Amino acid sequence: MKSIFVALVVAFIAGCATQPVAELNIDLAAADAVDFVRPYELSRTDVSFTGLGTVAGASCQAHRSAPIATQQEALLRMKVMAAELGANAVVLRQCRETSTVECRTQWVCEGDAFQQQPLR
């Protein structure tokens, strides 16, 4: 009986430790349409890159019982923001973990959005 209780507690804790991406209300199709590129790839001669601006994404744990803020969520949100600008490529500048008055823990990722097109 005690082992069943311990197993249930472990399962409950494990279930609370992660939050599936589908529950984050992130448009995964938009995020999948945007690829990460390295800064040196912007000098390629077989494609053109048009800069569309700076994008950022954040993940926030507002209170102790809220899902933990993750870098993965912040990156996905940044890619969705880039897709909303019409971008299909992002150069990641930085991700950092912080805390604010509103967020116990917070991940913020920033990058530059680009429209990449093959040259004709």
Side-chain angles (χ1 to χ4, degrees):
M1 183 70 169
K2 185 177 179 182
S3 62
I4 293 173
F5 176 74
V6 171
L8 287 173
V9 169
V10 169
F12 176 75
I13 291 171
C16 293
T18 60
Q19 182 179 19
V21 173
E23 292 181 20
L24 297 175
N25 297 323
I26 296 175
D27 183 356
L28 293 179
D32 286 344
V34 178
D35 294 321
F36 285 108
V37 295
R38 291 182 167 74
Y40 65 82
E41 292 181 72
L42 298 176
S43 62
R44 288 175 49 184
T45 58
D46 60 332
V47 295
S48 68
F49 289 93
T50 304
L52 302 175
T54 301
V55 290
S59 175
C60 172
Q61 181 186 25
H63 49 81
R64 206 177 282 272
S65 62
I68 296 171
T70 65
Q71 183 178 14
Q72 177 189 13
E73 179 184 357
L75 288 167
L76 286 171
R77 291 186 185 282
M78 181 184 69
K79 287 175 72 175
V80 169
M81 185 177 182
E84 290 173 356
L85 292 176
N88 59 4
V90 169
V91 174
L92 178 64
R93 276 201 245 150
Q94 69 175 343
C95 284
R96 65 185 181 281
E97 187 175 19
T98 63
S99 62
T100 65
V101 174
E102 298 85 20
C103 300
R104 289 184 38 146
T105 61
Q106 179 180 32
W107 275 96
V108 177
C109 295
E110 299 170 344
D112 297 309
F114 292 90
Q115 177 62 50
Q116 174 183 338
Q117 296 178 337
L119 293 178
R120 296 176 190 183

